[in-house]
């Protein structure tokens, strides 16, 4: 061996070692997956607390091979754009009530007076029919991880709502949900689809005289400062659908997929367990702010909304609406 050959061999060995080290680093780096999760709820909401729990459990169960990066408060867009983003693969996981991109038939669970209470909702979601509904978006590339309650919607005005006549001709703010709009029409109210962030001003300036909020939104957004009567009707239940890009899910290893599904299931159970206490606490806070909370006899309201069921039976299929209604009634 010549003097020049030995240094070359040493250098080649060093280079080889560096390349092997880089290869190992690249392999380790590629083994870590970061999933972008977006929702429109505030950072201090129960929704975000649930998602933080989910992220921690996924990281722990996968030993860090899957990490969840959370974007709350509509940082990546409102609920509609989030659903579009997950479908396109720009966002990995989303939550929200906007379902047009996933499957409009998911709105079947928002039919008026479909559910009695939260326990009724949860039993339905866990039933065979509930699981069928949650699979509706799979042919469009969405995998449902679970459903978190957005909650029952109520009536809030300057006076208590006792009968449907109290809503007749009343301008009421609603989200642009087709079921809610159709329901308000049958109840005689004049629905106005005003963006969430503009509701307080709309109430204050009398553009609308009422809202139909979920109780936590009513409190968090301080709408009680303008309309101080909350009439508990549970007239519609709405969901925070929790979904993932199906192709992205399938890039995970079988163990990682199982960890994501298990963590989501655990989070749904935890979230449900927190709801009763959360609503009780919220009602106490509202009453302390001078809000009058009453309970509505819904019998005369239910009698008016049959045309809503007829309308969406035509749009979504009578078999689907009938099966969901039957399953909800039997739970």
């Amino acid at each position: 061996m010549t003097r020049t050959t030995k240094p070359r061999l040493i250098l080649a060995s060093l280079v080889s070692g560096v390349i092997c080290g880089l290869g190992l680093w690249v392999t380790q780096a590629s083994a870590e997956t970061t999933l972008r999760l977006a929702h429109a709820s505030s950072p201090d909401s129960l929704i975000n607390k649930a998602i933080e729990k989910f992220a921690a459990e996924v990281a722990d169960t996968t030993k860090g091979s899957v990490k969840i990066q959370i974007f709350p408060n509509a940082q990546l867009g409102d609920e509609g754009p989030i659903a579009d983003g997950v479908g396109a693969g720009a966002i990995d996981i989303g939550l929200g009530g906007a379902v047009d991109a996933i499957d409009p038939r998911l709105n079947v669970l928002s039919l008026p007076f479909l559910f009695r209470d939260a326990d009724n909702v949860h039993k339905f979601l866990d039933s065979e029919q509930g699981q069928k509904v949650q699979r509706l978006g799979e042919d469009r590339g969405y995998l449902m991880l679970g459903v978190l309650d957005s909650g029952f919607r109520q009536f809030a005005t300057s006076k208590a709502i006792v009968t449907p006549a109290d809503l007749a001709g009343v301008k009421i703010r609603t989200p642009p949900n087709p079921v809610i709009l159709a329901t308000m029409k049958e109840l005689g109210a004049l629905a106005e689809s005003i963006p969430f962030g503009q509701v307080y001003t709309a109430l204050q300036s009398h553009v609308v005289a009422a809202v139909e909020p979920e109780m936590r939104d009513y409190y968090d957004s301080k709408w009680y400062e303008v309309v101080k009567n909350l009439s508990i009707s549970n007239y519609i239940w709405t969901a925070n659908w929790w979904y993932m890009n199906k192709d992205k899910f399938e890039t995970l290893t079988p163990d990682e997929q199982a960890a994501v599904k298990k963590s989501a299931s655990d989070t749904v159970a935890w979230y449900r367990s927190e709801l009763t206490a959360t609503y009780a606490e919220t009602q106490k806070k509202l009453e302390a702010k001078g809000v009058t909370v009453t309970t509505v006899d819904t019998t005369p309201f239910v009698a008016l909304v049959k045309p809503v069921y007829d309308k969406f039976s035509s749009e979504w299929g009578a078999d689907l609406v009938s099966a969901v209604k039957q399953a909800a009634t039997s739970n």
Side-chain angles (χ1 to χ4, degrees), residues 114-324:
L114 178 64
F115 298 111
R116 295 184 307 275
D117 51 32
D119 185 56
N120 182 203
V121 172
H122 300 154
K123 285 180 179 178
F124 171 83
L125 290 171
D126 296 340
S127 72
E128 182 180 352
Q129 184 60 46
Q131 294 299 306
K132 284 182 181 178
V133 170
Q134 292 177 61
R135 290 194 290 271
L136 285 176
E138 289 187 5
D139 60 350
R140 294 190 181 186
Y142 293 85
L143 177 72
M144 200 64 68
L145 296 179
V147 182
L148 300 180
D149 297 56
S150 183
F152 283 99
R153 303 182 79 85
Q154 319 300 347
F155 302 128
T157 64
S158 58
K159 66 175 185 177
I161 299 298
V162 180
T163 70
D166 295 321
L167 282 172
V170 173
K171 288 186 177 181
I172 185 168
R173 181 271 170 182
T174 76
N177 179 307
V179 178
I180 294 177
L181 293 171
T183 301
M184 283 300 159
K185 180 181 178 182
E186 296 305 324
L187 294 178
L190 304 176
E192 299 277 349
S193 292
I194 295 171
F196 189 89
Q198 299 175 23
V199 174
Y200 188 100
T201 304
L203 288 167
Q204 196 174 43
S205 60
H206 305 293
V207 171
V208 291
V211 284
E212 43 75 74
E214 188 267 349
M215 187 188 291
R216 291 170 295 172
D217 286 341
Y218 176 64
Y219 177 78
D220 291 342
S221 301
K222 298 185 177 181
W223 297 340
Y224 61 81
E225 293 180 350
V226 191
V227 286
K228 287 190 169 291
N229 280 273
L230 183 67
S231 301
I232 305 296
S233 63
N234 287 359
Y235 91 99
I236 273 178
W237 179 84
T238 52
N240 261 304
W241 299 99
W242 188 5
Y243 47 88
M244 182 172 181
N245 180 281
K246 194 166 178 283
D247 288 341
K248 185 67 175 183
F249 179 80
E250 291 173 354
T251 66
L252 303 177
T253 68
D255 285 346
E256 290 170 343
Q257 291 178 3
V260 168
K261 283 193 168 184
K262 174 69 163 52
S263 299
S265 178
D266 290 346
T267 300
V268 168
W270 175 86
Y271 183 89
R272 290 177 180 178
S273 73
E274 294 290 310
L275 282 176
T276 300
T278 298
Y279 281 119
E281 181 183 357
T282 302
Q283 182 168 333
K284 285 182 181 179
K285 289 178 180 178
L286 286 168
E287 290 171 340
K289 296 289 186 181
V291 173
T292 301
V293 180
T294 56
T295 301
V296 178
D297 175 6
T298 60
T299 304
F301 293 82
V302 173
L304 294 175
V305 299
K306 184 180 181 300
V308 179
Y309 281 76
D310 294 340
K311 171 182 171 60
F312 290 105
S313 290
S314 297
E315 289 191 19
W316 303 330
D319 288 347
L320 172 65
V321 172
S322 177
V324 166

Side-chain angles (χ1 to χ4, degrees), residues 4 14 27 41 59 69 73 79 82 89 102 106 112 145 168 191 195 210 230 254 268 271 298 307 310 326:
T4 56
L14 288 172
T27 300
S41 298
Q69 186 177 11
N73 216 29
E79 293 183 350
I82 287 173
I102 305 170
L106 290 170
L145 296 179
L230 183 67
V268 168
Y271 183 89
T298 60
D310 294 340
Q326 183 176 353

Side-chain angles (χ1 to χ4, degrees), residues 65-82:
S65 70
V66 178
K67 297 179 180 178
I68 309 295
Q69 186 177 11
I70 304 170
F71 296 88
N73 216 29
Q75 290 178 23
L76 301 186
D78 209 346
E79 293 183 350
I82 287 173

